Amino acid sequence: MTFSLRSRQVYLPGGPRPATVTVDGGRIAAVSDHDAPVAGPVTDLGPLSLLPGLVDTHVHVNEPGRTEWEGFATATRAAAAGGVTSIVDMPLNSLPPTTSVAALREKQAAARGQCHVDVGFWGGAVPGNAAELPALHEAGVFGFKSFLVDSGVPEFPPLDRAGLAEAFAAVDALFIVHAEDPARLGALSASRAYAEFLASRPPAAEVSAVDTALAVARESGTRLHILHLSAADALPALRRARADGMRVTAETCPHYLVLDAAAVPDGATEFKCCPPIRDAGNQDRLWGGLADGTIAIVVSDHSPSTPQLKRRDIGDFAAAWGGIASLQLGLPAVWTAARERGFTLADVVRWMSTGPAHLVGLHRKGRIAPGADADLVAFAPDETFVVDPAALHHRHPVTPYAARELSGVVHTTWLRGTVVADEPTGELLLREDVL
C-alpha cells in the first residue's frame, strides 16, 4: 500500500523542513515538497513533527529466564509507545546469557512473534568464551558486551585486562564495555542514604576502567564503545583517543542527563543504577560531551527488575537491584532537558536515532530518506504530560520519573509503514553484513 504523511517539521538528514513523505511496501519511497501532489492517500499531521523512529542499542529484555523482570512483549510495547522502533538486546540478564550461538538461538526463539518493534542482539564476552565469539559474530550479533566489574548476575562474570585483550583478539568486531574498575569501588553496607551509595562508586572507578579499555583497544586496533558514561571526568581521555584516530565512541543515558544526585531522596531505590546518577556539575559536563561529539549517542540502558528486587520496602541501596526502566520515557525526558539547554530536536534525533543506527550499522534505520525503512514517529514537542507509572507499558510500574512533568508526546509510531498496535509485527534483526 502506498500512502503519504505530510508535516511542517519533517526531520530529514539535512535538518527539519516542511515535506511530504511517501511510503510504499514498508520503505520510504520519496520525500517531496510539502505541497507536492502525490499518489495515494495523504495524512496531514498538522502541528505534529515527523521523526525517524528511535533506535535504542542498550536494552535489557531479560527473556528467557527472567521474564518476570521484563520480556519481549512488554519491553517492545513500551519502546513503541516511546517512539522507539528498533532495539538491540543486551546479552544479560537472560538465562542463558547470549554467550554462544546456542544461547542466541534460544533468545531468538523466545522473541519470535512477540515483538512490537524490530529487535537485534548483542553477544557477550565473558571469561572462557573467546573461542565462541567468531561463530557468534557470524550468526549475526551486532558486537560483544563485556564488564570490567561484577555484572550483578553470576552467569555473566567480568573480564580482567588479559581477558579483554583475549576477546579483542578473537574477532574483528565492535566491543561495548561497561567500564568501572572494581579496585576503585568502595564498600557499601546496608544504607538508605543515596550519598553513601554514590560515594561507593566514584568517578575514579569509571576513569580507570575507561583508561584500561582504551589501552587494550589501542594495542589491538579494536573498535570500542564505552557504555552508559556517567563520570564526566572520563571525557578528556576519550577526546584524546578520538584525536589520535582511535575507533572509539561513547554513549550516555537519559537519567544521567536529567536526574540530579542532590534530588534523590534517601531510600528511593528506584534511582539506583550502576554507574550512578551524579551531581549537577558533572551533568553539565556530560551535556558538553554531547555538544562537542565526544558522546555520540543517548540510549536508555533500560534495566528493569521486579519491585521486590528494587527493595523499595526497606530502601536499602546496598541490597537493591541497580537498573532504571525508562524505555518509554527516554525521548521526552531528553527533549525536556535538551530544549532547556538550547539544543534542538534535530540534536535529539541525531543522538537517539541516527547515531545509534550508525553505531550498529543499521543503514535502513534512523533516517527519513528514500530507501530507508518507514519507521516513523508523529511527535508533539510542545505538549506536556505528567509521568504516571501505571500508564507505562514495561512490565513493572517502577520509575524515578514518576510525577515528573515532561515535554514531548508521541502520538503515533509506524514500523515499516504500519501503525504499531496490539498485533506484534516486529522482526528480528541481524547485523547487515551477514544478511
Side-chain angles (χ1 to χ4, degrees):
M1 175 184 175
T2 301
F3 69 95
S4 297
L5 299 171
R6 183 167 283 160
S7 169
R8 288 288 175 186
Q9 289 286 304
V10 179
Y11 281 78
L12 302 170
R17 66 172 175 86
T20 296
V21 177
T22 299
V23 176
D24 182 57
R27 298 277 187 92
I28 296 170
V31 177
S32 312
D33 291 340
H34 182 269
D35 297 322
V38 292
V42 179
T43 298
D44 193 323
L45 297 178
L48 301 180
S49 298
L50 189 65
L51 316 182
L54 273 58
V55 178
D56 193 332
T57 54
H58 196 147
V59 178
H60 295 265
V61 176
N62 306 335
E63 185 176 8
R66 290 191 175 98
T67 311
E68 71 275 13
W69 294 19
E70 187 58 284
F72 286 103
T74 50
T76 57
R77 185 179 288 274
V84 178
T85 51
S86 300
I87 67 171
V88 186
D89 174 57
M90 284 291 167
L92 73 163
N93 302 299
S94 55
L95 291 169
T98 316
T99 54
S100 68
V101 173
L104 173 64
R105 299 302 181 219
E106 284 194 51
K107 184 166 280 194
Q108 289 170 325
R112 196 165 285 115
Q114 290 204 76
C115 299
H116 296 271
V117 302
D118 288 352
V119 178
F121 304 93
W122 293 107
V126 297
N129 85 325
E132 300 270 2
L133 302 186
L136 193 49
H137 198 239
E138 184 63 27
V141 298
F142 286 86
F144 297 97
K145 180 176 187 177
S146 60
F147 278 75
L148 300 184
V149 69
D150 181 14
S151 72
V153 291
E155 67 276 0
F156 204 96
L159 295 174
D160 59 16
R161 179 173 178 144
L164 195 65
E166 182 183 18
F168 285 4
V171 61
D172 182 12
L174 171 61
F175 280 83
I176 61 175
V177 175
H178 179 128
E180 289 183 284
D181 182 347
R184 300 295 185 98
L185 299 184
L188 181 67
S189 56
S191 177
R192 290 177 51 84
Y194 183 75
E196 291 185 9
F197 166 65
L198 179 59
S200 75
R201 304 189 91 99
E206 282 189 79
V207 173
S208 175
V210 167
D211 286 345
T212 295
L214 288 171
V216 178
R218 187 185 297 273
E219 292 165 1
S220 62
T222 296
R223 185 178 170 216
L224 173 68
H225 181 73
I226 301 297
L227 297 169
H228 47 47
L229 186 70
S230 157
D233 286 352
L235 288 170
L238 291 167
R239 290 188 179 108
R240 288 192 298 270
R242 290 169 59 80
D244 289 345
M246 286 187 66
R247 298 186 299 163
V248 59
T249 49
E251 69 185 39
T252 193
C253 304
H255 38 280
Y256 302 131
L257 298 171
V258 176
L259 305 176
D260 177 0
V264 177
D266 288 347
T269 53
E270 63 269 28
F271 288 84
K272 180 181 177 180
C273 56
C274 299
I277 295 161
R278 304 193 187 275
D279 62 77
N282 179 84
Q283 185 179 94
D284 290 343
R285 293 164 63 204
L286 291 178
W287 281 102
L290 282 166
D292 69 17
T294 307
I295 302 172
I297 67 175
V298 180
V299 287
S300 69
D301 189 10
H302 180 76
S303 185
S305 69
T306 63
Q308 292 79 12
L309 286 172
K310 290 300 282 185
R311 299 315 311 261
R312 299 169 80 208
D313 54 338
I314 58 174
D316 181 1
F317 281 98
W321 176 259
I324 288 178
S326 63
L327 189 52
Q328 187 170 335
L329 298 173
L331 174 57
V334 172
W335 168 232
T336 300
R339 74 190 307 186
E340 291 175 354
R341 291 173 177 269
F343 293 100
T344 68
L345 190 52
D347 293 320
V348 175
V349 167
R350 185 176 70 255
W351 299 330
M352 303 188 77
S353 182
T354 311
H358 178 74
L359 175 75
V360 295
L362 286 173
H363 304 300
R364 296 198 304 272
K365 307 290 189 183
R367 59 194 177 96
I368 298 177
D373 287 349
D375 298 348
L376 302 164
V377 178
F379 184 65
D382 297 324
E383 288 186 25
T384 62
F385 68 103
V386 175
V387 176
D388 176 6
L392 301 176
H393 291 285
H394 60 256
R395 188 174 297 279
H396 300 291
V398 178
T399 174
Y401 296 100
R404 181 180 287 261
E405 184 175 80
L406 298 176
S407 296
V409 174
V410 172
H411 280 244
T412 308
T413 301
W414 291 264
L415 179 67
R416 291 187 308 281
T418 298
V419 173
V420 178
D422 292 337
E423 188 68 23
T425 59
E427 296 181 355
L428 303 189
L429 301 172
L430 300 176
R431 206 177 69 258
E432 290 189 2
D433 62 359
V434 300
L435 293 178

